[in-house]
């Protein structure tokens, strides 16, 4: 019940295209769903996050779509750029519960070709 | 850049040895967590400290232990190192929507 399943494992997109990464979770008690971006040699950095009371959140070229009934959420990167090439992790958590962890997916390596 | 500093950045240890990794933050946040990220995997929660007390732990054996100091810096100690302990160890301050990760310590056990 603690798992977050992420797909695809890797993704190649042409510059200007749309990158889509999907995640599914099992525990309906999760109330916070962030996406992290990680470049080689760096720690994960928060990209965008959503809470289950909304179905979509957009920040610039990045959009999270959230389907509570299906227990799925996805990251869409519009107009993908070579600088977006990185590993992306979805995660789930209980936002305000002390001592709890972020449960991460296994990651998606995105390569944007120019 | 992130305000979370981890040291050392890389180290190599021999199986059976002990290692101490360190984390500090500019903001001195009272909550710090440690994660293990194996190659090609997502980070996995080791434990969390709040005001010098452990208040949450993942599925890691007792040979993984930690400390948080009055200035809110933190240490991760791993005893009896195993080859599978080779990973990137990440420190994060804050919790929930306020997580900020450091760049990690790359530990190689040979």
């Amino acid at each position: 019940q603690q798992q977050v399943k992420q797909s695809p494992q890797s993704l190649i997109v042409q510059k200007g295209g749309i990158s889509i990464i999907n995640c599914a979770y099992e525990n309906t008690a999760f109330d916070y769903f962030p996406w992290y971006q990680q470049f080689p040699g760096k720690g994960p950095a928060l990209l965008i996050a959503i809470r289950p009371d909304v179905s979509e959140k957009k920040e610039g070229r990045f959009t999270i779509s959230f389907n509570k009934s299906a227990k799925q959420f996805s990251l869409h990167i519009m107009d993908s750029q070579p600088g977006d090439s990185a590993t992306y992790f979805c995660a789930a958590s209980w936002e305000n519960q002390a001592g709890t962890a972020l449960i991460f997916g296994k990651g998606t390596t995105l390569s944007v070709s120019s | 850049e992130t305000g979370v500093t981890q040291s050392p950045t890389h180290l190599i240890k021999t199986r059976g040895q002990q290692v101490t990794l360190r984390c500090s933050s500019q903001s001195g946040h009272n909550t710090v967590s440690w994660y293990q990220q194996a190659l090609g995997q997502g980070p996995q929660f080791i434990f969390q400290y709040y005001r010098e007390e452990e208040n949450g732990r993942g599925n890691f054996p007792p040979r993984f232990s930690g400390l948080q100091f009055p200035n809110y810096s933190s240490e991760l100690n791993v005893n009896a190192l195993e080859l599978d302990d080779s990973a990137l160890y990440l420190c994060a301050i804050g919790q929930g929507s306020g997580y900020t990760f450091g760049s990690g310590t790359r530990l190689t056990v040979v």
Side-chain angles (χ1 to χ4, degrees):
Chain A
Q1 268 207 326
Q2 297 286 68
Q3 282 188 322
V4 177
K5 295 182 180 179
Q6 183 172 347
S7 63
Q9 186 176 351
S10 62
L11 184 60
I12 300 174
V13 174
Q14 285 198 334
K15 180 181 176 181
I18 303 173
S19 304
I20 301 174
I21 305 171
N22 300 299
C23 281
Y25 63 97
E26 299 170 354
N27 191 333
T28 56
F30 289 137
D31 61 6
Y32 176 66
F33 301 88
W35 285 89
Y36 281 82
Q37 180 188 56
Q38 186 176 29
F39 293 103
K42 300 293 185 183
L46 179 64
L47 190 62
I48 187 173
I50 198 167
R51 294 172 180 82
D53 53 342
V54 297
S55 59
E56 185 174 282
K57 183 174 181 180
K58 183 176 181 180
E59 290 184 0
R61 296 184 295 110
F62 301 92
T63 300
I64 300 179
S65 296
F66 188 84
N67 186 330
K68 189 174 181 178
S69 61
K71 294 188 285 186
Q72 295 176 345
F73 59 111
S74 60
L75 175 69
H76 295 234
I77 306 174
M78 311 300 288
D79 187 26
S80 298
Q81 298 297 312
D84 297 331
S85 297
T87 301
Y88 293 80
F89 295 95
C90 61
S93 184
W94 303 267
E95 185 177 14
N96 294 313
Q97 186 171 339
T100 57
L102 285 169
I103 311 299
F104 284 87
K106 291 190 174 183
T108 297
T109 301
L110 171 65
S111 296
V112 181
S113 60
S114 54
Chain B
E1 318 171 316
T2 65
V4 180
T5 302
Q6 292 190 241
S7 62
T9 55
H10 298 82
L11 77 165
I12 300 173
K13 288 286 189 177
T14 303
R15 188 172 52 183
Q17 285 188 316
Q18 178 266 343
V19 69
T20 297
L21 311 181
R22 295 178 173 83
C23 173
S24 63
S25 69
Q26 295 175 351
S27 64
H29 201 286
N30 58 19
T31 303
V32 63
S33 304
W34 286 89
Y35 285 77
Q36 180 196 67
Q37 186 177 15
L39 199 62
Q41 301 293 317
Q44 287 198 308
F45 178 66
I46 302 175
F47 44 59
Q48 184 180 93
Y49 277 79
Y50 173 72
R51 293 187 175 179
E52 304 177 53
E53 297 287 331
E54 184 182 299
N55 72 336
R57 191 177 183 92
N59 189 26
F60 280 82
R63 59 189 186 84
F64 286 78
S65 63
L67 284 173
Q68 187 181 27
F69 299 99
N71 67 355
Y72 300 133
S73 65
S74 178
E75 287 182 354
L76 165 65
N77 299 289
V78 187
N79 294 321
L81 284 166
E82 300 177 0
L83 297 179
D84 284 349
D85 295 334
S86 295
L88 180 68
Y89 288 85
L90 296 162
C91 166
I93 61 169
Q95 66 177 45
S97 56
Y99 256 74
T100 301
F101 285 90
S103 292
T105 295
R106 172 72 63 186
L107 171 65
T108 302
V109 183
V110 297

